[in-house]
Amino acid sequence: MMIDYNGILEQRIHNLKQDGSYRYFLDVQKSARHFPRFYFEDADGNKRSAINWCSNDYLCMSIHEEVINRLTRVAHQSGTGSGGTRNISGTTVYHRELEETLAALHQKEGALLFGGAYLANVTTLSTLAALIPGLVFISDERNHASIIEGIRNSRTEKIIFRHNDADHLEQILMKLPPEQPKLIVFESVYSMNGSIAPMTDIILLAKKYNALTYADEVHAVGLYGNDGGGISAALGVRQGIDIINGTLAKGFGMTGGYIAANRVIVDAVRSFGKGFIFTTSLPPAVCAAATAGIGIVRDNPALRTAFHKNVKRLREVLTCYGISWLYNDAHITPVRIGDAVLCQDVASRLLHESGIYVQPVNYPTVPKGEECLRIIVTPRHREADMIHLAKSLCRDAIYRVSVTTRGRRDKSRLYISTGTPINQQ
Ligand code: PLP
């Protein structure tokens, strides 16, 4: 019997399209000069422009002159690719410099670079499980796909604790044998709902029950703490986290990922981690530019101040126009839609009718029913951009209100705004 391989795959894709989870990409012509404005071609081939409201280039470091200059200078000097794995001529002075910069930022003995934080999570978690007999993962239920993948790859025992629930974490820890090795895995800032982990409580529990801690600070590095060291830096608890995972691709505006930890952990992952060993290292110019970006972010708290000021202002403007957003203490402003098809529909209308590019976030990135527009503001967004966004959401969106003000949850209800700011109604 012939097997219809394409037919099997097409059916899966069809199912995605049916439930609104199919991903459509927009070919963005990114502009270093005009960011957050960018250009794209519509379906009729017309050149259009829009404002990007979903970039994770939080501090606009990808368009910083000094970063671009270092990238181009080192590319001219060293060429583009590294030409090898870290072991086979792919470790340059720029890799070393970047790892030292990252270790210092997180006040750790060492750091290790990867192609991305995804790979860093998968490799580190599965490698530790392979090296530490009987290791059990205790993982937050909302952890990122890369963490889930790393734990799954390890084929070791895992126990899930309720999202950000330290009491539930303790209930789990107290039932485990004291002699069993344990690794608590969580994110400091959750990328879709912006919730922040109770890091200090987790560290205290880890000490009490002799567990290791692993914090994914991907959405926090560069943005929190006096020097941009993340939530662990902001809370002054860097030493309490055994392994920090971070990205170079968001707050630092480059590409690549890393872990920072003590000398032994870094050496173990360096020596045994397949996702570290058997892949070409980052280009030298990327490492050099990332080091430059980290230096700028570290030494300029004003960048963080401008960023958080804009987050606050955006939320004020949205609230003023009657747009409900899911409250959180971080910088991510989700507007709940609660339906996958509607979510895509609203995002598409915003792009084509209002020149606003905002990402619809659907299952499996968020649980079904929590579909949202995930809005990201940067220091380069102006007040006029925010008002345009709010007015367009009012005009175009029929969306579900889920959380209106701090801590107060509404029952989901269909909401059509009048488009008039609340204080003028
Ligand atoms: N961890 C979290 C929480 C993320 O949201 C992401 C990606 O956005 C990653 C890890 C992967 O980061 P990278 O893009 O550097 O691979």
Side-chain angles (χ1 to χ4, degrees):
M1 193 188 88
M2 291 289 287
I3 302 172
D4 181 8
Y5 293 103
N6 281 346
I8 296 169
L9 299 177
E10 272 165 2
Q11 183 56 48
R12 298 300 296 263
I13 293 168
H14 175 76
N15 294 347
L16 275 186
K17 287 184 177 164
Q18 285 296 101
D19 71 13
S21 314
Y22 187 71
R23 289 161 203 252
Y24 297 92
F25 296 158
L26 178 69
D27 296 344
V28 168
Q29 177 72 56
K30 191 168 176 252
S31 165
R33 219 167 127 220
H34 300 143
F35 184 86
R37 185 164 291 285
F38 68 95
Y39 303 90
F40 68 102
E41 262 187 24
D42 66 17
D44 301 323
N46 301 313
K47 191 164 179 184
R48 303 271 311 274
S49 83
I51 297 289
N52 191 340
W53 282 101
C54 53
S55 171
N56 285 331
D57 186 8
Y58 294 125
L59 300 176
C60 308
M61 292 312 291
S62 83
I63 54 174
H64 195 289
E65 271 306 303
E66 280 177 48
V67 177
I68 296 172
N69 285 342
R70 186 135 204 249
L71 182 86
T72 47
R73 250 197 338 269
V74 175
H76 278 118
Q77 191 184 72
S78 296
T80 53
S82 74
T85 62
R86 287 292 296 268
N87 195 36
I88 308 177
S89 83
T91 298
T92 68
V93 290
Y94 302 107
H95 293 80
R96 181 67 65 219
E97 175 190 51
L98 177 53
E99 285 176 340
E100 283 170 7
T101 303
L102 289 166
L105 178 70
H106 294 295
Q107 296 177 3
K108 298 287 177 207
E109 290 172 355
L112 203 61
L113 290 170
F114 293 81
Y118 191 107
L119 190 58
N121 273 337
V122 171
T123 304
T124 306
L125 294 172
S126 54
T127 304
L128 290 175
L131 296 178
I132 305 174
L135 182 73
V136 56
F137 290 109
I138 310 162
S139 177
D140 186 289
E141 68 178 337
R142 286 280 177 118
N143 275 339
H144 188 256
S146 52
I147 294 175
I148 296 168
E149 181 86 357
I151 293 175
R152 193 179 286 147
N153 282 359
S154 71
R155 296 201 200 93
T156 352
E157 186 185 353
K158 67 158 191 293
I159 307 174
I160 307 297
F161 66 97
R162 283 192 295 272
H163 181 49
N164 281 349
D165 187 338
D167 292 337
H168 189 216
L169 175 61
E170 176 151 34
Q171 285 163 24
I172 292 167
L173 286 165
M174 65 178 32
K175 284 191 199 133
L176 291 167
E179 65 283 3
Q180 179 162 22
K182 310 163 190 77
L183 179 52
I184 304 169
V185 192
F186 63 102
E187 296 174 34
S188 61
V189 173
Y190 284 81
S191 60
M192 292 302 143
N193 63 7
S195 61
I196 297 182
M199 192 178 269
T200 310
D201 294 345
I202 292 175
I203 291 169
L204 288 173
L205 288 173
K207 295 270 169 287
K208 186 170 168 188
Y209 293 94
N210 196 12
L212 287 174
T213 47
Y214 185 104
D216 176 322
E217 290 245 46
V218 158
H219 289 274
V221 289
L223 309 182
Y224 297 89
N226 275 345
D227 55 3
I231 298 292
S232 53
L235 297 175
V237 296
R238 281 184 255 228
Q239 297 315 318
I241 301 294
D242 295 295
I243 303 155
I244 289 181
N245 166 285
T247 186
L248 303 171
K250 301 183 195 296
F252 301 135
M254 188 45 61
T255 190
Y258 63 92
I259 56 160
N262 71 25
R263 188 182 47 77
V264 178
I265 292 175
V266 167
D267 203 20
V269 180
R270 190 186 74 86
S271 305
F272 293 95
K274 293 194 172 56
F276 173 80
I277 298 170
F278 297 106
T279 183
T280 302
S281 65
L282 289 171
V286 164
C287 296
T291 304
I294 294 166
I296 293 164
V297 167
R298 184 192 56 214
D299 300 339
N300 288 283
L303 266 175
R304 272 176 291 288
T305 308
F307 173 70
H308 291 290
K309 205 169 136 204
N310 257 7
V311 172
K312 185 165 173 279
R313 188 63 196 137
L314 168 71
R315 292 173 171 193
E316 283 166 359
V317 170
L318 291 179
T319 302
C320 176
Y321 277 84
I323 309 293
S324 298
W325 44 275
L326 197 68
Y327 182 82
N328 62 70
D329 285 315
H331 55 279
I332 292 152
T333 306
V335 171
R336 175 82 51 87
I337 304 288
D339 176 89
V341 176
L342 191 58
C343 198
Q344 270 194 351
D345 214 43
V346 170
S348 166
R349 276 208 308 271
L350 284 171
L351 180 66
H352 293 104
E353 293 169 20
S354 306
I356 284 169
Y357 181 33
V358 55
Q359 188 60 34
V361 183
N362 286 343
Y363 178 83
T365 310
V366 291
K368 286 190 176 160
E370 292 189 20
E371 294 83 357
C372 64
L373 303 175
R374 177 182 180 272
I375 299 175
I376 299 296
V377 68
T378 73
R380 293 265 288 244
H381 287 82
R382 298 161 310 142
E383 173 101 3
D385 300 325
M386 299 178 197
I387 292 172
H388 176 59
L389 171 71
K391 280 186 171 168
S392 307
L393 274 167
C394 286
R395 199 170 47 241
D396 294 338
I398 301 172
Y399 59 89
R400 285 174 194 278
V401 177
S402 55
V403 173
T404 48
T405 52
R406 188 181 181 128
R408 205 185 94 220
R409 269 164 205 285
D410 270 0
K411 286 251 179 309
S412 275
R413 61 189 160 90
L414 265 185
Y415 175 84
I416 310 173
S417 170
T418 58
T420 312
I422 276 179
N423 58 8
Q424 291 169 26
Q425 281 175 4

